[in-house]
Amino acid sequence: MEKWMQVLTEKIPNQQLISDLAGRYSYSFDASFGEHLPDLVVQAKNREEVVHVLKVANDYHIPVYPRGQGTCLSGGPLPVHGGIVLDLSQWPQEIDVQVEDLTVSVSPSVRTAGINEEAEKHGLMYPPDPSSAHVATIGGNLAENSGGPRGLKYGVTKDYVLGLELVTPEGEIIRTGGQTIKNVTGFDLTKLIVGSEGTLGVITEATLKLVPKPLGKQTMMIEFMNLRTAGAAISHTLTSGILPAKIEMMDQACIAAVENFRPSGLPKDAAAIIIVELDGHPETLKVEIEMLQKIMRKIGATGMTIPTTEKEADDIWFARKQVSPAIAKIKPTKVSEDATVPRSKIPDMMDRLQEIKDKYSLELVVFGHAGDGNLHPNILCDKADAAEMKRVEKAVQEIFEAAVDLGGTLSGEHGIGTMKAPFMEYELGAAGLDMMKRIKESWDPNGIMNPGKIFPEKGQKLVLTDG
Amino acid sequence: MGNLLELQQKINYDKTFDCVQCGYCLPACPTYETMERETHSPRGRINLVKMVAEEKASIEDLKDPIEKCLGCMACTTVCPTNVQYGQILEGAKEIIEENKSKGSLHKKAEDFLFQAFFPSSKWMQRLGEATWFYQRTGVQRLAQLMKITDVSPLHLGVFEKVIPPQPSPKIRKQRVERYMRKRPAKAKAAFFTGCIMDGVFFDTNQNTIELLLRSGLEVILPKQQTCCGALHAHSGKVDESRELAKRNIVAFQDEEVDYIINNAGGCGARLVEYHHLFEEGTEWYERAVEFQKKVKDISEVLVEVDGLTFPHAVHQTITYQPSCHMTNVQKVKSPPLELLKKVPGLTFKELKRPDFCCGSAGIYNIVNHEESMDILDVKMNDVCSVAPDQVVTTNPGCLLQMKVGIEREGKTKEMSAVHLVDLLMEAEPSGKE
């Protein structure tokens, strides 16, 4: 056994160490591309163990890859340089709601949906709702600054973090922010850590903000004969005085895929549909739904469905949830992007995506959280077809460029990780990227925290083919 | 294993790509919860199968994670991409079985079970009679007689206390093969008796026949029927399982029946999937499809025929522990609950997590005893918080396991476990005429 491993294993209970091949392979992947075998997996269950792991790793310059439940879509927990995967998912789950402060303290392993469930018992809500919320840990959500459909009205993970406890790459425990809504004491390190993808340390506790739970909600599905009108309908809605909790969009290819996969009664002849969820007081909802109908009629919607029961509403949202699995049936490999543009540019982005699809003759479908400009263009391809994968690589690059050119960003909610790293400079410029690097170097002088992520390595390019 | 392509085919390499590793199976998996490792999660196991097919890991590496899977299939109901986990699991088990060294304790334990407990001929009577004999003489003599004293990992002693009193061989022999009705029958049913059900829960089988008769059905018990083969397939003995399937298909097809009825969730799950054992387009495949169309759980038929009233009130608080195979493979969920609603006097309290496996899982609780007990502890926590008088089940494995759970918790005075049909009989059902 190597020296670092010997020192490291001294203070960690044996059953929390995984070194056999089958065990290590089980932590070699996440929900994105690629597979990288770590040398050791450590399942930390308290902050002292995290401190110990990071001190040893820092002494011996061993990479550490923090991991929650491995639902990441951008390669966050992949141990691309070997070393240690630090599994935090088995840490005891603690949720402590301070009802009168409208805050909650959580351990890093808590499943995100569990926070909202606990908050709801007190008439409160934790709004961020990534679709993996019932699986993913809050630690992972904080590291990736996850979003979700409700981001339109309520914002994303970073908008709900008041304070953090973090173990630094050198093994020191620091606390950032606090328990209060207002706090201007010093640099806002909380915001810097959230979304840093595990490159600045390991989050061991968080204090989150809660909001009152809306009293009611109302869903509506609207059909359009072309995508541009759908885009315009979204802008009109948002400037009418109504702020829906969610606005989701599906194009014709997505509708067809869902209807083939699990028929859900979606309008197959529509070029696009948008699904809106309003929330608030039931009386307000009645007024708003009428306003919305007028707006949609005026702009040229070809059909509207307003569910009258919870079951009918659930059915519509269930159909929306089927998009991901349904399009996965089109072809074996799914390259899922989350390029995001200013909302006014959604129609332009849709045009650009259509051009890219035609240019590289690829199966490209679009859905996503259209209300906040966060689209999910998905390319369906076959990993075994090398020629096609080359075209996909080029198409992905053009999607990124299109988003940035329209004033948008590479990633709205999935994170940079490994795949998008080569495009960082295109969006941030050399000086911008360099500033981030300098921050990283001063936090983590030995470069042990999640190396190989966010920052491109020399000559790194987007590669979707093996070998 | 000579040929890589052959290995990849057997281990269902192509099917592993349906898994997008999203992790949605993790919250549904009992062993991920109790064993706390991805290695023991559906996604982890599928990944390891892939690693073996790519020669990055060995079959030996795959063994423990696959053998520790309950096969409860809870993952398949939450999987967004419809991964054929059952087939991947069975393929992996087959490969492991082929690769097994003969001397291991695990192998011995399994050989004992498949050669002595679920043998291919006359097993039904032998098992029941052996149990009867065992109850009259005690475990030691049986163990000596069956030469199992050297198979120590079988924790049969645990189950000793919970096996119900057995009828004598004479009573067993008195059962006839055909129950006709004087009036024209509403439908004709063939009853699949099952090995453990008929061996250990003979009275429950008798009650099942009685419920069918009172519902207005004609019932036959085809003589040539044999074990469903589920336990064989779960242990990688796919060829044997296929042979048993063929024998059952033949045994049941001679009689023109409307239903092939069983009262064991695990057996039913195997019977409805018989066609998966044969290649599409072959004659056996077609015959298996015809067979499986008629397969129904007793609860489904009782609801469908709707021929009973339950006049006698049963004043008890009950909870229902669904069989995983009935829920996740047969997709039979509501019929048992609908029947329970018809019994006057019952107070039904639902478990917090009814779909969490009890840890019985075929012979899992015998060959992976400790792991099974960890899972049972999670289940019993849930059961004890509901504090029912009776725990209702629909599968012999679950029934035995729940009895073991109650025993372990020291609650035998407050609660008991019961098969649905036995509870229904307590309500003294009579036919609607």
Side-chain angles (χ1 to χ4, degrees), chain A residues 14-32 34-35 43 45 67-71 87 89-90 111 131-135 261-262 321-322 324-326 328-329 332 334 383, chain B residues 17-27 32-41 43-48 50-51 54-58 60-65 76-84:
Chain A
N14 219 7
Q15 69 272 19
Q16 288 165 236
L17 297 165
I18 302 172
S19 57
D20 64 299
L21 188 70
R24 287 186 291 129
Y25 263 124
S26 303
Y27 294 83
S28 68
F29 59 84
D30 64 1
S32 74
E35 158 218 314
Q43 299 184 296
K45 293 192 175 184
R67 184 182 200 267
Q69 291 259 70
T71 56
D87 175 21
S89 67
Q90 302 306 318
R111 314 303 188 244
S131 61
S132 58
H134 62 298
V135 187
F261 177 62
R262 205 168 280 174
K321 281 215 166 225
Q322 297 313 303
S324 258
K329 297 285 162 203
K334 188 170 92 166
K383 218 169 149 185
Chain B
F17 289 93
D18 291 340
C19 175
V20 295
Q21 306 187 320
C22 65
Y24 283 24
C25 52
L26 298 179
Y32 178 64
E33 183 168 326
T34 55
M35 300 173 80
E36 302 189 345
R37 289 183 179 201
E38 278 272 2
T39 326
H40 297 290
S41 76
R43 174 173 77 167
R45 293 185 180 107
I46 294 167
N47 184 61
L48 283 173
K50 198 189 269 177
M51 294 301 102
E54 291 172 6
E55 295 186 299
K56 291 174 184 164
S58 69
E60 196 54 35
D61 293 320
L62 188 61
K63 199 169 155 253
D64 188 50
T76 59
T77 55
V78 294
C79 177
T81 57
N82 209 7
V83 175
Q84 297 302 303

Side-chain angles (χ1 to χ4, degrees), chain A residues 10-266:
Chain A
E10 271 165 17
K11 283 193 193 167
I12 307 285
N14 219 7
Q15 69 272 19
Q16 288 165 236
L17 297 165
I18 302 172
S19 57
D20 64 299
L21 188 70
R24 287 186 291 129
Y25 263 124
S26 303
Y27 294 83
S28 68
F29 59 84
D30 64 1
S32 74
F33 273 79
E35 158 218 314
H36 304 270
L37 192 61
D39 298 305
L40 184 70
V41 181
V42 181
Q43 299 184 296
K45 293 192 175 184
N46 58 54
R47 55 178 63 78
E48 290 71 32
E49 288 168 2
V50 174
V51 167
H52 174 66
V53 169
L54 292 195
K55 281 198 165 148
V56 174
N58 193 47
D59 281 352
Y60 290 88
H61 297 204
I62 306 299
V64 177
Y65 295 90
R67 184 182 200 267
Q69 291 259 70
T71 56
C72 190
L73 292 167
S74 59
L78 295 180
V80 292
H81 295 315
I84 303 159
V85 166
L86 187 62
D87 175 21
L88 297 151
S89 67
Q90 302 306 318
W91 186 303
Q93 297 187 47
E94 284 158 31
I95 307 178
D96 184 12
V97 180
Q98 282 98 42
V99 181
E100 285 171 12
D101 292 337
L102 280 84
T103 62
V104 58
S105 296
V106 293
S107 58
S109 55
V110 164
R111 314 303 188 244
T112 302
I115 303 172
N116 192 45
E117 275 162 33
E118 206 52 42
E120 284 191 341
K121 289 181 189 164
H122 306 281
L124 300 172
M125 170 166 86
Y126 177 68
D129 58 343
S131 61
S132 58
H134 62 298
V135 187
T137 64
I138 186 67
N141 280 189
L142 290 162
E144 298 290 333
N145 189 11
S146 308
R150 280 204 289 240
L152 170 63
K153 180 172 184 173
Y154 292 98
V156 297
T157 303
K158 72 172 176 201
D159 299 311
Y160 292 86
V161 191
L162 298 176
L164 292 173
E165 182 189 85
L166 179 99
V167 180
T168 68
E170 290 161 301
E172 302 297 333
I173 298 175
I174 62 168
R175 298 193 75 100
T176 71
Q179 316 277 326
T180 57
I181 298 295
K182 293 184 176 176
N183 182 333
V184 293
T185 310
F187 287 169
D188 191 350
L189 295 183
T190 309
K191 284 273 199 298
L192 176 61
I193 294 162
V194 174
S196 64
E197 304 190 10
T199 60
L200 300 181
V202 178
I203 297 165
T204 48
E205 196 191 295
T207 304
L208 308 169
K209 185 171 80 176
L210 301 173
V211 298
K213 187 186 170 212
L215 294 172
K217 53 186 181 183
Q218 175 66 54
T219 293
M220 181 173 177
M221 179 169 80
I222 310 115
E223 302 159 32
F224 298 93
M225 285 327 276
N226 67 66
L227 273 168
R228 275 202 161 262
T229 317
I234 294 167
S235 314
H236 273 77
T237 303
L238 294 173
T239 49
S240 67
I242 300 173
L243 181 53
K246 312 174 184 173
I247 302 182
E248 297 290 299
M249 192 190 64
M250 291 162 66
D251 71 359
Q252 190 161 29
C254 288
I255 298 169
V258 169
E259 288 303 307
N260 284 335
F261 177 62
R262 205 168 280 174
S264 309
L266 296 177

Side-chain angles (χ1 to χ4, degrees), chain B residues 145-433:
Chain B
L145 204 73
M146 296 184 108
K147 295 191 181 67
I148 56 169
T149 40
D150 57 335
V151 196
S152 55
L154 294 178
H155 299 259
L156 291 175
V158 181
F159 300 95
E160 182 192 348
K161 288 183 187 157
V162 301
I163 290 177
Q166 294 297 306
S168 70
K170 194 176 156 199
I171 291 178
R172 283 178 187 276
K173 281 197 185 110
Q174 281 167 359
R175 184 167 67 185
V176 296
E177 282 153 26
R178 196 168 288 270
Y179 298 85
M180 304 288 282
R181 287 179 56 86
K182 285 179 192 137
R183 300 159 191 251
K186 282 184 189 163
K188 189 171 167 186
F191 180 43
F192 181 85
T193 56
C195 336
I196 302 189
M197 280 311 301
D198 221 44
V200 182
F201 298 106
F202 185 81
D203 291 341
T204 305
N205 269 0
Q206 293 298 89
N207 282 341
T208 303
I209 295 169
E210 193 56 39
L211 285 171
L212 290 171
L213 292 172
R214 290 188 196 181
S215 296
L217 270 68
E218 179 185 337
V219 184
I220 55 164
L221 278 67
K223 204 177 172 182
Q224 300 304 322
Q225 63 176 300
T226 182
C227 173
C228 68
L231 299 175
H232 299 77
H234 298 164
S235 301
K237 300 169 199 304
V238 178
D239 291 339
E240 289 163 46
S241 184
R242 194 178 293 116
E243 281 314 303
L244 293 171
K246 282 185 183 173
R247 283 166 53 188
N248 277 324
I249 291 168
V250 173
F252 282 83
Q253 80 173 7
D254 291 344
E255 300 277 357
E256 300 256 315
V257 295
D258 303 301
Y259 302 113
I260 298 171
I261 294 169
N262 74 89
N263 59 8
C267 301
R270 173 82 329 196
L271 300 177
V272 298
E273 290 201 327
Y274 265 2
H275 53 303
H276 291 177
L277 289 164
F278 304 100
E279 208 174 312
E280 237 171 284
T282 60
E283 190 207 327
W284 275 110
Y285 179 85
E286 295 306 325
R287 287 172 78 175
V289 167
E290 284 311 305
F291 176 91
Q292 64 89 22
K293 274 186 199 158
K294 294 179 182 169
V295 172
K296 298 260 182 209
D297 184 76
I298 175 72
S299 61
E300 283 181 282
V301 176
L302 292 181
V303 168
E304 201 173 298
V305 176
D306 191 24
L308 294 174
T309 57
F310 299 90
H312 181 71
V314 181
H315 294 287
Q316 282 187 341
T317 299
I318 54 156
T319 193
Y320 173 51
Q321 166 54 35
S323 142
C324 297
H325 281 131
M326 202 155 125
T327 305
N328 303 325
V329 183
Q330 295 190 64
K331 316 274 181 207
V332 176
K333 292 187 85 162
S334 64
L337 295 170
E338 286 172 46
L339 290 170
L340 290 171
K341 266 188 211 150
K342 291 184 183 175
V343 176
L346 286 183
T347 307
F348 176 68
K349 283 193 184 168
E350 196 176 15
L351 293 175
K352 254 189 230 105
R353 298 170 68 191
D355 293 337
F356 187 91
C357 180
C358 68
S360 157
I363 55 167
Y364 189 94
N365 53 1
I366 300 174
V367 292
N368 296 306
H369 189 68
E370 276 164 37
E371 289 83 359
S372 161
M373 292 301 120
D374 288 344
I375 286 160
L376 179 58
D377 288 344
V378 177
K379 175 58 68 185
M380 289 314 293
N381 252 336
D382 195 355
V383 170
C384 289
S385 71
V386 170
D389 301 314
Q390 300 224 61
V391 184
V392 181
T393 67
T394 53
N395 184 49
C398 312
L399 182 53
L400 277 174
Q401 182 83 342
M402 294 317 298
K403 283 171 183 273
V404 170
I406 292 165
E407 180 83 29
R408 279 164 60 90
E409 298 287 327
K411 300 259 184 199
T412 46
K413 291 213 176 87
E414 297 105 293
M415 67 167 87
S416 59
V418 63
H419 193 292
L420 174 69
V421 303
D422 295 334
L423 181 66
L424 293 178
M425 280 304 281
E426 281 181 45
E428 297 170 11
S430 61
K432 289 181 187 170
E433 291 296 338

